[in-house]
Amino acid sequence: MGKKVVIVESPTKSRTLGKYLGKDYKIVASMGHIVDLPEKQLAVDIKDGFKPRYQIIPGKKKVLNLIKKAVEGAEDVYLASDPDREGEAIAYHIARLLNILDNAHRVLFNEITKNAVVSGIENPTKIDLNKVYAQQARRILDRLVGYKVSPILWKILHKGLSAGRVQSVALKILAKREEELENFVPKEFWTIDQVFSIDGNEFPARVVQFCGEKLEIPDEKTAKKHLVDVKKSAPFRILKIERKRQRRNPPPPFITSSMQLEASRKLGFSAKKTMQIAQQLYEGVELGDEGPSGLITYMRTDSVRVADIARNAARKFIKAQFGENYVGKIRHGTKKSAQDAHEAIRPTFPSRTPEQVKSFLTKDQFKLYELIWRRFMASQMAPAELERISVKIVGGEYLSETSETKVLFDGFLRVWQVRVAQSEEEEKRKLPKIEEGDEVKLEAVDINQHFTKPPPRYSEGTLVKELESQGIGRPSTYAQIISTLITRKYVSSQKKALYVTELGKKVNELLQKMFPTIFEEKFTARMESELDEIEQGKKSWRKLLEEFYEPFSQKLLSAEKNSGEYKKSTVEEIDRKCPECGAPLVVRWGRYGKFIACSNFPKCRYTEPLDRNENKPKREKILLDEKCPKCGARLEIKYNRWGGRFIACSNYPKCKYARPYVLDIPCPRKNCNGKLTEMVSKRYGKVFYACSEDNCDFRTFDEPVREKCPKCGAPSLFVKKTKKKSIKYCAVCGWSEKKKD
């Protein structure tokens, strides 16, 4: 009997599969893609039907040779890369390089369990070329946009900037919210809040009507007038009590976007971190004597569909654990726009509780597994039954209201906590026993000032939700979109909120001027739908590229022609002369941000840092959604004279509270729980990065990147920059990778 070879993407998955398939199978890992478009050239022949010119990725020849050696003389070769478009493309390119396109077996594992693995091997399929073409079309689209638009940004601002087909639309959404926040004018309003009592039991209420009309109080003077009148309005009596029974249905099981949103809200995880941990749980975790086992199903999905076997197992567990009345009806159909290629994200074995595997998981793995397990079990449970009691109290010309929400039957709330009332205050409120017509005593009344609140900043989770709701991006792309925006310094993340930087605003402004129809939400969503049509075999990938490129090329010509005018619009004059030639000084954009230069450039090359000028234009003011612990004013991001960031009170100089700027990047050292802070060396006048933990002395001048070291697994890497190039390296094991500047 000849040997059988299974080719997977990661070593972790290979260990798990090895446990289930036994010695008759040899399992090798491709470590992701083997080929790709080369970095330093467009590598797309537009005239020859957008033909891509793939090449073996640098460093992957050794991996390819190992795979070739493994399949020599093999009876069967199984391609078991991830069950999505990227995985299909990886399988296709490997099969093409091995010359086994017609003979290779394609196997799909929605979950890495023994039954799923054995079933997949016993029921192989062929490579789905439509999926391959859909992935190829996306890759070419992104390459065309990135490599054609980015150089125009270089001409206008500086080299190293990038534009992305989807990333730039996400930036537009964030910039639009930033503009809303900047233009937001809070509107003052006042409320009259009361405390009533009956039989010695107190309860709160709020005045809502005056003379039969909604009470709107715009200022303190009006509020005080009403306050006097309310006090004179006794007696107060219960006018009406309404009791409404409500059913609160459980949420559906997780899809990629909802998992990222809840992990952001409840665990504080970034989208990238969530997906990294989910990948580990999917590929398999060592469970002691049981060996490596996949704990969740595939984590890139937009479908809430659940396999019957998993649903039945969950219902059996719920009945045994909580009782028959907690078992819910079968529900949750998949939305029409979903690709429905995979099940929802769920535990592979519903009866495997988080506590059973806690000792085998890292702290973060346990948190995410528990979140996924609870959400799935809740989705199979009965609705919660609530009763909302609304009470109207009348006194003179004033009508007040109060309410309470009671949980009559907790249902899915046993495992998945959500707010059941309209506010946190109502959720905690307990009303005394009262009846219509009862007289109640006014114990206290007061006026309170409020201001309307601006729309909330996007977090990574809410941005993913917004992208998903508009049909922009797909489950496999959300985390990469946000990661790229942060890496490019178009966006910064502070306290879970996303802030658009000054550079991000300028890039977005230019892109919207030059390509308003390309970087537009509905257009981008339509492109996603057409990529889905390619996958379904309804559209040719070349046809999509032809339809896109013709109008795009016209916009490119116009943008290149007017790049000089766009560049002029980025230059700001200041009221000062050049000390060398007497020409006016201006503020220009450079590789490291804004700087002051002579307007007579290139004849005069005088420059100076922007921070040396006393009359320099002020940096953008970024207020945080956090109050100063000393005076209660809002905190903001500030810059020192060397350009380093720090957090300080907006009430300076009255309040001098300040603290270091902490990045959402962990210290690379093993067993250190610190995060890197942005500091400034007064000796060298340079920004450096240090660990936030007092007992850790880690320091570096090189910029940190939140990426895992492929060699030793350190949680962060660093970029050493020179004039000609930049090199990404690991500060723990010394691994390095030359990177395009």
Side-chain angles (χ1 to χ4, degrees):
M1 182 177 178
K3 64 178 178 179
K4 299 180 179 181
V5 178
V6 181
I7 303 172
V8 297
E9 287 184 50
S10 74
T12 303
K13 191 191 287 187
S14 67
R15 287 194 295 273
T16 312
L17 291 181
K19 165 193 165 186
Y20 297 137
L21 295 176
K23 296 178 181 179
D24 292 337
Y25 291 82
K26 182 176 179 61
I27 302 166
V28 290
S30 71
M31 313 296 287
H33 283 275
I34 293 288
V35 303
D36 197 3
L37 300 176
E39 282 191 5
K40 295 184 179 180
Q41 51 185 286
L42 180 65
V44 177
D45 193 334
I46 296 167
K47 293 180 180 178
D48 189 13
F50 299 92
K51 185 177 179 181
R53 292 195 293 270
Y54 293 111
Q55 71 173 27
I56 296 172
I57 298 169
K60 284 297 184 78
K61 284 185 179 179
K62 187 177 179 181
V63 176
L64 179 60
N65 289 335
L66 288 172
I67 294 173
K68 284 181 176 179
K69 189 175 180 181
V71 301
E72 282 179 5
E75 178 186 350
D76 291 297
V77 178
Y78 298 88
L79 301 167
S81 45
D82 285 352
D84 57 12
R85 288 177 190 165
E86 291 293 322
E88 208 70 23
I90 290 170
Y92 170 79
H93 289 300
I94 290 174
R96 184 175 58 83
L97 290 168
L98 298 177
N99 294 316
I100 57 170
L101 267 174
D102 296 329
N103 303 320
H105 303 298
R106 177 73 171 116
V107 290
L108 304 173
F109 303 134
N110 186 56
E111 59 185 65
I112 310 297
T113 59
K114 185 170 184 178
N115 287 340
V117 169
V118 172
S119 176
I121 293 292
E122 290 177 350
N123 300 282
T125 63
K126 291 295 182 183
I127 291 171
D128 187 339
L129 289 178
N130 288 329
K131 272 189 180 181
V132 176
Y133 295 149
Q135 186 274 343
Q136 181 167 276
R138 175 188 286 281
R139 188 75 183 93
I140 294 172
L141 277 173
D142 292 344
R143 176 56 65 101
L144 290 172
V145 173
Y147 277 51
K148 294 287 187 179
V149 176
S150 298
I152 300 174
L153 287 177
W154 300 353
K155 287 181 184 178
I156 299 170
L157 291 176
H158 64 78
K159 276 192 173 183
L161 297 176
S162 76
R165 185 180 61 86
V166 182
Q167 120 200 355
S168 297
V169 180
L171 178 61
K172 178 188 175 184
I173 291 170
L174 291 171
K176 199 184 291 183
R177 177 58 55 88
E178 199 78 37
E179 188 178 351
E180 289 174 10
L181 290 166
E182 288 172 359
N183 296 332
F184 178 77
V185 179
K187 187 178 178 182
E188 180 185 11
F189 69 99
W190 291 71
T191 57
I192 302 176
D193 296 301
Q194 305 155 299
V195 176
F196 291 103
S197 70
I198 184 169
D199 298 330
N201 298 308
E202 295 184 347
F203 62 96
R206 175 169 288 179
V207 180
V208 294
Q209 286 186 16
F210 174 64
C211 294
E213 300 288 334
K214 182 181 178 182
L215 180 61
E216 294 182 348
I217 308 174
D219 51 50
E220 187 177 14
K221 183 180 177 182
T222 308
K224 286 182 175 178
K225 182 179 181 302
H226 281 294
L227 179 64
V228 172
D229 292 342
V230 168
K231 289 178 178 178
K232 298 176 182 177
S233 297
F236 295 91
R237 62 183 177 84
I238 305 299
L239 178 66
K240 191 174 184 180
I241 299 175
E242 287 184 347
R243 299 176 185 270
K244 288 186 178 179
R245 290 177 72 98
Q246 302 172 339
R247 286 166 66 89
R248 176 71 61 86
N249 286 322
F254 279 140
I255 59 176
T256 303
S257 59
S258 58
M259 177 179 70
Q260 291 177 353
L261 176 62
E262 288 300 318
S264 173
R265 282 177 176 168
K266 295 185 175 179
L267 307 179
F269 289 178
S270 67
K272 186 176 181 179
K273 180 177 180 177
T274 300
M275 295 308 288
Q276 285 174 338
I277 297 170
Q279 183 89 33
Q280 295 163 11
L281 297 175
Y282 163 70
E283 290 181 346
V285 177
E286 288 283 349
L287 299 181
D289 295 338
E290 188 179 332
S293 299
L295 294 183
I296 65 169
T297 52
Y298 193 56
M299 62 285 158
R300 295 184 181 97
T301 179
D302 56 5
S303 170
V304 294
R305 176 171 55 82
V306 174
D308 289 341
I309 190 170
R311 180 183 291 109
N312 293 337
R315 294 160 72 83
K316 182 179 178 182
F317 179 87
I318 292 164
K319 181 179 178 181
Q321 199 75 11
F322 305 113
E324 177 111 32
N325 56 336
Y326 279 88
V327 179
K329 293 180 179 178
I330 296 173
R331 59 174 75 84
H332 304 314
T334 295
K335 61 182 182 177
K336 289 183 180 179
S337 61
Q339 291 175 277
D340 201 34
H342 310 291
E343 281 189 73
I345 303 167
R346 61 168 177 81
T348 52
F349 296 104
S351 59
R352 183 178 272 156
T353 66
E355 288 300 324
Q356 288 175 352
V357 294
K358 185 175 183 179
S359 61
F360 303 106
L361 305 181
T362 66
K363 187 177 179 182
D364 288 341
Q365 286 174 340
F366 172 75
K367 285 179 179 179
L368 187 60
Y369 179 69
E370 183 180 39
L371 196 71
I372 293 168
W373 185 87
R374 287 184 176 276
R375 177 73 168 227
F376 175 68
M377 299 308 290
S379 74
Q380 304 304 311
M381 294 177 74
E385 294 180 14
L386 314 173
E387 182 183 51
R388 189 164 192 270
I389 306 167
S390 301
V391 180
K392 298 183 187 296
I393 306 156
V394 66
E397 300 294 333
Y398 292 92
L399 181 74
S400 303
E401 286 184 352
T402 189
S403 59
E404 176 193 356
T405 298
K406 292 181 178 179
V407 178
L408 304 178
F409 172 65
D410 55 2
F412 75 93
L413 296 175
R414 283 286 291 270
V415 297
W416 187 260
Q417 292 300 313
V418 294
R419 182 186 292 174
V420 296
Q422 294 179 356
S423 66
E424 287 184 26
E425 291 77 15
E426 182 186 325
E427 206 162 45
K428 297 173 186 175
R429 193 177 300 148
K430 302 294 180 185
L431 295 176
K433 186 178 179 181
I434 47 178
E435 301 290 343
E436 289 182 5
D438 284 352
E439 188 171 316
V440 292
K441 182 182 178 183
L442 181 65
E443 296 288 350
V445 61
D446 201 2
I447 55 174
N448 291 293
Q449 183 186 38
H450 307 272
F451 291 93
T452 53
K453 293 182 178 180
R457 286 189 178 279
Y458 285 108
S459 65
E460 290 196 21
T462 55
L463 177 60
V464 167
K465 183 181 179 183
E466 180 67 21
L467 292 172
E468 196 251 352
S469 69
Q470 294 198 42
I472 298 167
R474 283 296 180 261
S476 60
T477 64
Y478 298 136
Q480 185 59 42
I481 291 168
I482 297 169
S483 177
T484 301
L485 290 174
I486 293 173
T487 301
R488 294 290 178 184
K489 296 188 176 178
Y490 296 162
V491 170
S492 66
S493 179
Q494 283 290 320
K495 297 286 184 181
K496 299 185 188 179
L498 297 176
Y499 294 80
V500 181
T501 64
E502 191 174 9
L503 175 61
K505 290 177 186 175
K506 182 57 68 176
V507 168
N508 176 66
E509 180 187 320
L510 289 168
L511 291 177
Q512 293 307 316
K513 282 180 182 177
M514 295 187 291
F515 304 95
T517 56
I518 301 297
F519 300 118
E520 192 270 332
E521 293 92 328
K522 289 183 180 177
F523 176 82
T524 307
R526 197 181 82 222
M527 294 300 292
E528 294 290 356
S529 296
E530 293 186 17
L531 288 169
D532 292 345
E533 288 179 16
I534 294 172
E535 181 174 338
Q536 294 156 13
K538 297 178 181 178
K539 187 162 189 168
S540 159
W541 67 274
R542 283 195 169 92
K543 181 70 174 172
L544 178 143
L545 292 169
E546 287 167 2
E547 292 172 353
F548 167 80
Y549 194 73
E550 187 175 346
F552 175 60
S553 60
Q554 295 302 315
K555 291 289 182 183
L556 279 173
L557 289 172
S558 175
E560 287 171 351
K561 182 180 177 181
N562 297 309
S563 61
E565 291 301 314
Y566 291 128
K567 188 174 181 68
K568 284 180 184 178
S569 71
T570 67
V571 177
E572 309 166 40
E573 280 197 24
I574 59 175
D575 189 22
R576 204 150 61 83
K577 302 290 184 182
C578 174
E580 292 187 4
C581 72
L585 289 176
V586 296
V587 177
R588 296 183 184 275
W589 281 89
R591 186 169 187 78
Y592 301 105
K594 287 184 174 181
F595 66 99
I596 293 172
C598 182
S599 58
N600 201 21
F601 178 85
K603 290 182 180 179
C604 177
R605 294 181 174 271
Y606 174 81
T607 62
E608 66 178 62
L610 186 63
D611 290 311
R612 290 183 190 169
N613 177 28
E614 292 180 0
N615 301 313
K616 66 180 182 292
K618 291 183 179 178
R619 291 181 184 267
E620 63 174 339
K621 190 173 184 178
I622 301 182
L623 289 171
L624 301 177
D625 299 325
E626 183 183 356
K627 291 183 178 180
C628 173
K630 283 191 175 180
C631 72
R634 285 178 72 180
L635 296 177
E636 70 175 291
I637 299 174
K638 293 194 174 185
Y639 296 80
N640 57 36
R641 57 180 295 192
W642 296 281
R645 293 172 291 184
F646 63 100
I647 309 296
C649 182
S650 58
N651 200 22
Y652 179 86
K654 290 182 180 178
C655 177
K656 296 186 178 180
Y657 173 81
R659 70 166 189 257
Y661 184 94
V662 181
L663 302 170
D664 189 26
I665 299 178
C667 174
R669 288 191 173 167
K670 192 176 180 181
N671 299 324
C672 180
N673 296 319
K675 290 193 174 183
L676 296 179
T677 58
E678 197 169 286
M679 312 287 280
V680 171
S681 166
K682 294 182 180 178
R683 180 178 179 183
Y684 299 105
K686 288 174 65 178
V687 173
F688 71 94
Y689 304 89
C691 181
S692 59
E693 291 289 310
D694 293 334
N695 58 355
C696 180
D697 62 354
F698 180 81
R699 304 282 188 278
T700 182
F701 282 104
D702 298 327
E703 183 179 344
V705 181
R706 193 187 178 101
E707 288 183 26
K708 206 171 184 180
C709 174
K711 186 177 179 182
C712 72
S716 53
L717 298 175
F718 298 83
V719 179
K720 187 177 288 294
K721 293 183 177 180
T722 64
K723 288 184 179 180
K724 294 185 178 180
K725 60 184 178 180
S726 60
I727 299 173
K728 191 186 292 182
Y729 72 93
C730 176
V732 177
C733 70
W735 173 90
S736 67
E737 177 187 60
K738 289 186 178 180
K739 184 182 175 187
K740 183 181 175 183
D741 192 24

